[in-house]
Amino acid sequence: MVSVAFKMLNYNPKTNIRSLETLHTLCKTMAILPPVNLCNVEDYKSKYLYGSAAACLLLFSYVYTIYGKIVYVQKTMSVTGFVIDVGSDLTLIVANLISIVGINLMNGNIVSIFLTNMKKIDIDFQYIPSESKHPNIRFVMEMVLIHIYMIIFFTYNLYTWMSTLGMHIYKFFFLKDFQSYYIIVLAMLLRNYAYAIKYRMEVLNGILTRGEWSQTNNICANYSGSASAKIKTKQQWTLKKITKQFTNLTNLIDLYNKIFGWQFVSLYIVIVFNLLLPINLALIYGSGEKDIDGFKYGSELVIVCIMRASLPIITALAIFSACNHATDEIKLTSVISYNLIQELGEVPNDLNYKQELQELALLATNKCPSFSAAGFFAVNYSALFGLVGSITSYLIVLIQFNK
């Protein structure tokens, strides 16, 4: 999953579809995406049986976990600890089921259109990146590290609860780790799609910035705001072609929002509950004054809580940062266009360029879609800061309630 994700950045029409298919293997296995070739219009009947089976498996794991908590630990846990714990499980299962029902079963055809349109954009670009190895290595390292971290966390979590509660109780809870892993995979899928749009927008902004859109135009604006890598273009670009591709890329965001809008809402709630849960547990039981099923915890529980709290933090940063960076890259198009207008002269040919650049700048200003959580809020750094504020407020209420 990891190394393939950023092979999407290579934009080579001959290999891009293979990279996409390899990337989606894990998501298909977990029923996040339909188990079909998403870049072709195919019969989607098989996805309903497969997706329904995966949804039933997730529901079974949820019911199994809740049963164990009600029977074995409810009587020894505080009210806030138990309510938030059950709420954490509920938000996880809802978010995971939304990924199956919303992305797989209901929006599978839209996902296919999304990827097919992305393929068409790649074919139109037809470029060879000169510095593709670095981002690939970076993404590989990012995903390798997060999987190593999760393995360490799951192992330590298993050891802590097995050595205290024992296997006869912990056997009801280990499936929650699978639910948490499911959320991480889902978050990385959303992150990868957002960055796929961003990097394609970088290519377009790079072509616009370097003045590669006309044989007669020798302007190459030294605009330092573009983060695009050096590119060898294989076709002659015009401002009309750039405007068309800009529209195609912004349309990708509209499709993205249709596919993942409600998923963002569910993930937001998951992040809140799964941050409050470990903080609340650490505050109540970390001191060793209270016990769970007769066992008093100390530093080992605090470590588990810190590691568990890091998972929703990673999820939030992965999603919100990717969407924010993609939105910023789209906004950059209007800035680059206005900078190029300032560089042009008053000769007739330049006046024509000015008019087309003005149209592109207005389009980039007026049609600058953002990543949206079903219309409730924009997915960017502002929403991330709002999330921090919400968690802080809820935490203050919990501390007062526990007192």
Side-chain angles (χ1 to χ4, degrees):
M1 172 187 176
V2 181
S3 61
V4 177
F6 268 48
K7 288 182 181 179
M8 292 174 65
L9 308 183
N10 290 343
Y11 292 80
N12 190 331
K14 297 180 180 179
T15 61
N16 192 42
I17 300 304
R18 184 182 303 174
S19 298
L20 285 170
E21 284 299 316
T22 308
L23 166 65
H24 295 145
T25 298
L26 178 59
C27 293
K28 291 176 185 178
T29 304
M30 302 180 78
I32 297 174
L33 295 175
V36 293
N37 182 355
L38 293 174
C39 291
N40 293 320
V41 178
E42 295 186 2
D43 184 5
Y44 280 81
K45 291 182 180 179
S46 61
K47 72 179 182 180
Y48 293 106
L49 178 60
Y50 181 77
S52 300
C56 290
L57 178 62
L58 288 174
L59 281 171
F60 168 77
S61 68
Y62 170 72
V63 173
Y64 187 71
T65 299
I66 294 300
Y67 170 79
K69 290 181 179 179
I70 292 176
V71 172
Y72 292 100
V73 299
Q74 178 186 12
K75 59 182 180 294
T76 60
M77 290 186 69
S78 66
V79 175
T80 58
F82 182 75
V83 170
I84 295 177
D85 198 359
V86 172
S88 171
D89 294 330
L90 181 61
T91 59
L92 283 173
I93 184 62
V94 169
N96 291 338
L97 288 178
I98 286 177
S99 72
I100 296 177
V101 176
I103 301 174
N104 187 334
L105 303 183
M106 295 179 60
N107 293 317
N109 291 327
I110 300 179
V111 174
S112 179
I113 295 172
F114 175 85
L115 295 173
T116 301
N117 290 350
M118 193 178 296
K119 172 189 173 183
K120 292 178 181 178
I121 292 173
D122 291 350
I123 293 174
D124 288 337
F125 280 156
Q126 293 183 352
Y127 84 98
I128 302 174
S130 60
E131 298 176 3
S132 61
K133 185 177 292 187
H134 175 68
N136 282 336
I137 294 177
R138 184 190 67 183
F139 190 73
V140 169
M141 292 303 299
E142 175 183 307
M143 290 299 297
V144 167
L145 288 175
I146 192 174
H147 276 80
I148 292 175
Y149 179 74
M150 291 176 70
I151 291 172
I152 293 173
F153 163 66
F154 291 146
T155 303
Y156 186 78
N157 186 60
L158 172 66
Y159 168 76
T160 300
W161 296 114
M162 283 283 291
S163 61
T164 55
L165 298 180
M167 184 60 187
H168 68 288
I169 295 179
Y170 181 73
K171 67 181 180 181
F172 292 98
F173 307 145
F174 76 95
L175 287 177
K176 182 173 182 177
D177 291 342
F178 173 73
Q179 299 267 12
S180 299
Y181 178 73
Y182 195 105
I183 288 292
I184 291 293
V185 172
L186 178 62
M188 296 314 298
L189 175 68
L190 270 64
R191 173 183 172 84
N192 182 75
Y193 279 167
Y195 267 120
I197 297 173
K198 172 187 181 288
Y199 287 126
R200 285 159 175 80
M201 199 68 222
E202 276 190 2
V203 174
L204 196 64
N205 283 339
I207 293 170
L208 182 64
T209 299
R210 292 186 299 275
E212 296 176 357
W213 31 269
S214 174
Q215 290 178 336
T216 59
N217 181 41
N218 295 320
I219 296 173
C220 182
N222 295 320
Y223 183 69
S224 59
S226 175
S228 177
K230 296 178 181 179
I231 298 167
K232 302 175 184 177
T233 55
K234 293 184 177 181
Q235 63 169 298
Q236 180 60 42
W237 284 86
T238 64
L239 288 175
K240 290 189 180 297
K241 286 184 179 180
I242 292 176
T243 302
K244 177 183 176 182
Q245 291 303 328
F246 177 85
T247 302
N248 291 337
L249 285 167
T250 54
N251 288 339
L252 283 182
I253 296 183
D254 293 333
L255 292 173
Y256 185 101
N257 290 335
K258 289 180 181 179
I259 299 169
F260 301 116
W262 284 103
Q263 197 69 67
F264 280 129
V265 176
S266 65
L267 286 175
Y268 189 96
I269 300 173
V270 165
I271 292 168
V272 171
F273 268 89
N274 285 273
L275 266 176
L276 290 176
L277 173 62
I279 295 174
N280 188 64
L281 287 176
L283 290 174
I284 297 176
Y285 303 103
S287 62
E289 295 179 0
K290 296 183 178 181
D291 65 273
I292 299 178
D293 197 36
F295 192 92
K296 293 184 177 181
Y297 294 86
S299 59
E300 70 274 19
L301 179 63
V302 175
I303 295 174
V304 168
C305 290
I306 292 174
M307 298 182 74
R308 182 166 289 280
S310 66
L311 296 181
I313 292 174
I314 292 172
T315 301
L317 290 176
I319 297 174
F320 285 93
S321 63
C323 293
N324 192 88
H325 292 160
T327 304
D328 287 345
E329 191 64 38
I330 292 175
K331 292 179 180 178
L332 193 59
T333 303
S334 62
V335 179
I336 296 172
S337 299
Y338 284 121
N339 275 276
L340 288 173
I341 291 173
Q342 298 300 318
E343 297 289 335
L344 290 169
E346 299 298 328
V347 298
N349 195 40
D350 283 358
L351 291 177
N352 291 333
Y353 289 146
K354 277 188 175 182
Q355 183 178 356
E356 293 187 11
L357 284 168
Q358 185 72 31
E359 293 174 358
L360 176 59
L362 290 174
L363 177 64
T365 302
N366 297 327
K367 188 181 180 182
C368 184
S370 61
F371 294 86
S372 173
F376 289 100
F377 58 88
V379 185
N380 51 31
Y381 282 142
S382 297
L384 181 61
F385 295 143
L387 177 63
V388 174
S390 299
I391 293 172
T392 303
S393 301
Y394 296 144
L395 185 59
I396 293 173
V397 173
L398 280 176
I399 293 174
Q400 293 176 342
F401 191 88
N402 288 328
K403 287 182 179 181

